[in-house]
Amino acid sequence: MKKGLSFEFSQVTEMAALAAFEWVGKGNKNAADDAAVKAMRDLLSQMAIRGEIVIGEGEIDDAPMLYIGESVGLNRAGDDEVSIAVDPIDGTRMTAMGQANALSVLAVGKQGAFLKAPDMYMEKLIVGKEAKEVIDLALPLDQNLHQIAKAKKKPLLALRVAILDKPRHSEIINQMQQLGVSVISIPDGDVAAAVQCCLPNANIDLLYGIGGAPEGVIAAAAVRALGGNMQARLLPRNQVKGNSVETQRLAEMEIARCKALNVPVNEILKLDDLVCNDEVTFVATGITHGELVKGIQYNNKMFTTETLLICGETNSIHKMQSSYLGNKKTDCAV
């Protein structure tokens, strides 16, 4: 991408986060998401890019804005052709309830950089550099945990694993705790934890569990840029939620969609399958306070945001604070 374009994308997540902030703690996750989507799309439409949304709010029939396949940007000759994966709010429920770790995130890469997959469940195993060579989703989880601990030169009892706090993970959480592993349960939104375990001096050793496929691909961009590793597997809904009539119907739709996209179901996807080159950019702006970035702060009629920008092309990590007076940007400091 052209020099400076990565930093322009940080303004996109900042605007989405600011729009969502108006709805923090108000109990209306749909209104928060709608506001973030509109703000993100408005700014993307003004950028000097020829962009395609490859992961977004859903198919065109279900999403009027930021739908999969939507064209964004000024679309002029000579503008960068890019694929964009977006999640205007990773953690809509956390935003609505005023809970920690809600983010606005996006990932950008060259055309064809990201896996195109339906919005379905994905099993994920993510580690940082030290253990990147030892993970294997085909092996039982306990074997992976032992191998990761060995690679990181620490006892199993010192291992810290992030996992979504969902009923589907209850047995897995219990098994890990019986092994003596420390389990960090997160209510919703696993992108932040995925990034955290790949950062230098991370206090999380790995992320494991079943979450959303769109969030998985977005996280994979950060994992690749940070030199970590990830394996994943797309799972039909009935395998995760049980065999009701409705889950069977939705699972059949997901499998058909995967077949149309030539994406395997129930097969291991490696990092190269999720993100195929290093020239990717990952951006996350905090909506509510979290471990990865601070949430938006409001003092003296000024909004202050914190944004994490990871550039795979330059192997660089930036953390930025920006201040806005109302809707007007007044200062930006890196």
Side-chain angles (χ1 to χ4, degrees), residues 46-208:
Q46 300 172 41
M47 292 186 65
I49 56 172
R50 299 171 68 186
E52 180 191 6
I53 302 297
V54 295
I55 288 173
E57 293 295 283
E59 304 294 333
I60 187 171
D61 292 339
D62 302 316
M65 292 186 290
L66 296 181
Y67 58 83
I68 297 168
E70 182 177 5
S71 176
V72 293
L74 295 175
N75 285 291
R76 303 171 304 190
D79 288 343
D80 281 82
E81 296 184 37
V82 293
S83 292
I84 307 171
V86 301
D87 194 353
I89 303 181
D90 181 43
T92 53
R93 191 176 69 84
M94 284 123 70
T95 301
M97 300 305 292
Q99 297 173 337
N101 288 309
L103 303 169
S104 178
V105 297
L106 64 77
V108 187
K110 289 183 174 181
Q111 272 195 327
F114 303 125
L115 175 76
K116 290 186 178 181
D119 186 356
M120 59 190 295
Y121 283 107
M122 176 184 277
E123 182 184 12
K124 310 166 193 179
L125 177 58
I126 299 173
V127 294
K129 279 183 181 180
E130 293 172 298
K132 66 179 295 183
E133 302 297 336
V134 302
I135 63 170
D136 186 351
L137 205 51
L139 297 176
L141 179 59
D142 64 328
Q143 288 189 38
N144 276 287
L145 294 174
H146 279 95
Q147 290 177 177
I148 292 166
K150 184 178 179 181
K152 300 196 74 163
K153 299 179 181 178
K154 60 169 60 178
L156 191 66
L157 296 178
L159 214 59
R160 290 167 58 86
V161 183
I163 188 168
L164 287 170
D165 187 10
K166 303 291 183 182
R168 60 181 175 267
H169 292 144
S170 296
E171 186 176 337
I172 295 167
I173 290 171
N174 184 51
Q175 289 173 354
M176 289 194 291
Q177 289 173 335
Q178 287 185 3
L179 288 170
V181 170
S182 296
V183 176
I184 313 302
S185 298
I186 47 181
D188 284 297
D190 56 4
V191 173
V195 177
Q196 276 180 269
C197 68
C198 296
L199 287 169
N201 303 314
N203 62 358
I204 296 175
D205 295 295
L206 68 142
L207 178 135
Y208 176 73

Side-chain angles (χ1 to χ4, degrees), residues 25 43 49 72 85 87 96 113 138 170-171 187 214 232 250 253 255 266 272 277 280 282 324:
L43 210 54
I49 56 172
V72 293
D87 194 353
S170 296
E171 186 176 337
L250 292 171
M253 292 172 60
I255 291 168
N266 278 315
D272 282 346
N277 65 64
V280 291
F282 171 89
Y324 295 82

Side-chain angles (χ1 to χ4, degrees), residues 251-265:
E252 288 172 6
M253 292 172 60
E254 291 167 347
I255 291 168
R257 185 79 175 103
C258 285
K259 186 175 181 180
L261 292 168
N262 197 29
V263 179
V265 177

